[in-house]
Amino acid sequence: LNGKIIEQVPSNPDRLAEVEPVYEDLEGWNKDVEGVREFRGLPKKAQHYLRRIEKLTQTKIMMISTGSERNETIGVKDPFSKKST
């Protein structure tokens, strides 16, 4: 907003209209993740992408999906434990 990075969305619609997004390019990956059942089994670039999302949002990712089926879910962090899975 006006050349400064802001952390909160302006509540004033006029100010919000003045905001310019900041884009960040991250490297992608070409490896299929179908069948991957653990975070460490994901391509390194996919792991980096997810960790970057965590850092930007200041939120821990608890689970991710590698497909549309229920068994295509990876538990990244147990919500009841301080230790990552």
Side-chain angles (χ1 to χ4, degrees), residues 7-76:
E7 300 294 328
Q8 302 289 328
V9 176
S11 58
N12 181 325
D14 294 329
R15 299 288 285 172
L16 181 58
E18 298 171 12
V19 173
E20 293 182 35
V22 175
Y23 294 99
E24 182 174 334
D25 290 328
L26 297 173
E27 290 188 52
W29 56 96
N30 293 322
K31 183 181 175 191
D32 186 10
V33 295
E34 183 177 355
V36 176
R37 298 292 183 260
E38 294 182 350
F39 184 84
R40 66 178 166 257
L42 292 170
K44 294 295 181 195
K45 291 178 182 176
Q47 293 178 33
H48 174 73
Y49 174 79
L50 294 167
R51 294 298 181 218
R52 184 66 181 140
I53 289 172
E54 285 184 325
K55 185 173 181 179
L56 290 170
T57 61
Q58 298 178 5
T59 304
K60 291 290 183 189
I61 293 174
M62 298 294 172
M63 67 177 59
I64 59 171
S65 178
T66 58
S68 60
E69 299 299 321
R70 183 179 298 253
N71 66 348
E72 296 175 308
T73 301
I74 297 173
V76 178

